[in-house]
Amino acid sequence: MNLNRYSLLVKRQTRPADPLPPCRRRELVGGNEAMAIPMACAIEMIHTMSLIHDDLPCMDNDDLRRGKPTNHKAFGEDTAVLAGDALISLAFEHVAAKTRNVDPHRVLQAIVELGLAVGSEGLVAGQINRRLMQMREKVSLEELEYIHVHKTSKLLEAAVVCGAIIGGGDGIEVERLRKFARCIGLLFQVVDDILDVTKSSEELGKTAGKDLASDKATYPRLMGLERAKEFAGELAAKAVEELRHFDALRVVPLYHLADYIASRQN
């Protein structure tokens, strides 16, 4: 993947990690790790829900996830639907009940942000438009981006933005981090599309080549593989540019997050 400009930016900006333990270290916008852990757990619950539901026969109809049978294959479709429903409820309950030492207004603001990411303006909007797209012969790049910004990027955006809100970030900081997260969220999907046509099922831990076999609209299909790789590099570079406005030491984890998403192999 052509990420040369991005790689140089990362090397120039990153510094050694802060030696203080997480409980004492002040993070990017002033809070500490413990304040955000309940929200982090909630987002992973919702992420897991989205994978369970995406794999269902009525959605993507996939049999393999992380190298193992998908939830509905192992436990039945009824259990998979209910497991996803339970995880959504538990996510919001967990944030409300377990968040400590955070201004209640900020907790409420973060919960609203999470709700928007999951509902009709986020994951659901992306999935509905994806289903509609599958009924059409031609899809534009703009339409494909809308779907992935909502279906994939919104949850990554929520993870970054909710952390910034809970940690005490001001409006400008939150919006810069939102732009960063939107770039890496779309980057995740572009890389996912590339891996689907360049890796095996064993390497991915899920069914490889499924998008190509089903004639699904993807970035390599609409752009070509090489242009998709270039686009991934452009998104990574844009994400890194947003981080230049923050303290170079405290922002290191987000540089590493962008690097992981850009260079992942499964």
Side-chain angles (χ1 to χ4, degrees):
M1 190 173 296
N2 183 11
L3 299 179
N4 292 338
R5 178 169 176 257
Y6 157 72
S7 298
L8 289 172
L9 282 166
V10 170
K11 289 177 182 177
R12 187 168 67 241
Q13 293 296 322
T14 54
R15 297 180 187 174
D18 192 330
L20 289 175
C23 59
R24 294 178 55 199
R25 186 170 62 232
R26 306 305 291 177
E27 301 291 352
L28 183 60
V29 293
N32 61 56
E33 186 178 292
M35 296 164 68
I37 287 295
M39 177 59 76
C41 293
I43 289 172
E44 187 51 36
M45 291 175 200
I46 288 173
H47 177 224
T48 301
M49 171 279 298
S50 73
L51 300 181
I52 292 172
H53 282 183
D54 276 1
D55 290 337
L56 286 168
C58 61
M59 294 294 181
D60 290 350
N61 192 25
D62 221 326
D63 297 342
L64 197 64
R65 173 70 67 177
R66 295 173 181 167
K68 297 181 179 181
T70 48
N71 193 290
H72 69 275
K73 281 293 180 181
F75 306 107
E77 290 182 39
D78 51 353
T79 299
V81 171
L82 293 171
D85 294 345
L87 282 166
I88 296 175
S89 298
L90 180 59
F92 288 95
E93 174 192 336
H94 190 73
V95 174
K98 301 298 182 181
T99 305
R100 300 283 186 270
N101 303 316
V102 179
D103 182 337
H105 175 73
R106 286 189 174 272
V107 178
L108 180 59
Q109 187 181 353
I111 288 174
V112 170
E113 186 77 32
L114 184 59
L116 289 171
V118 178
S120 60
E121 296 182 31
L123 292 177
V124 173
Q127 188 68 297
I128 287 175
N129 278 274
R130 182 181 178 184
R131 302 297 295 173
L132 293 172
M133 181 182 73
Q134 290 171 339
M135 302 176 188
R136 296 166 48 196
E137 291 185 6
K138 292 185 179 180
V139 177
S140 69
L141 279 171
E142 291 75 17
E143 291 169 322
L144 185 63
E145 182 168 325
Y146 175 89
I147 289 166
H148 291 316
V149 162
H150 289 77
K151 187 174 182 297
T152 304
S153 186
K154 275 288 185 181
L155 195 56
L156 259 168
E157 184 179 319
V160 174
V161 170
C162 288
I165 292 169
I166 287 174
D170 62 32
I172 294 175
E173 290 172 327
V174 168
E175 289 311 307
R176 286 199 186 283
L177 290 170
R178 187 186 300 280
K179 291 177 183 177
F180 160 81
R182 197 161 291 176
C183 284
I184 63 168
L186 187 54
L187 172 64
F188 185 96
Q189 186 60 52
V190 176
V191 171
D192 211 55
D193 286 355
I194 292 168
L195 293 176
D196 185 70
V197 297
T198 59
K199 298 291 183 180
S200 68
S201 297
E202 291 72 23
E203 290 171 306
L204 294 178
K206 61 180 181 179
T207 308
K210 191 168 182 289
D211 295 342
L212 185 63
S214 62
D215 203 28
K216 176 181 167 185
T218 65
Y219 282 96
R221 180 186 166 200
L222 296 186
M223 288 181 160
L225 182 59
E226 291 308 311
R227 176 60 189 128
K229 291 178 179 180
E230 291 174 2
F231 183 46
E234 291 164 9
L235 287 169
K238 287 179 183 178
V240 168
E241 285 296 319
E242 292 297 332
L243 300 182
R244 294 179 62 190
H245 301 276
F246 294 91
D247 177 86
L249 179 61
R250 292 181 177 178
V251 83
V252 165
L254 293 186
Y255 281 116
H256 288 309
L257 176 61
D259 181 61
Y260 166 76
I261 289 173
S263 60
R264 69 192 181 91
Q265 298 299 305
N266 56 37

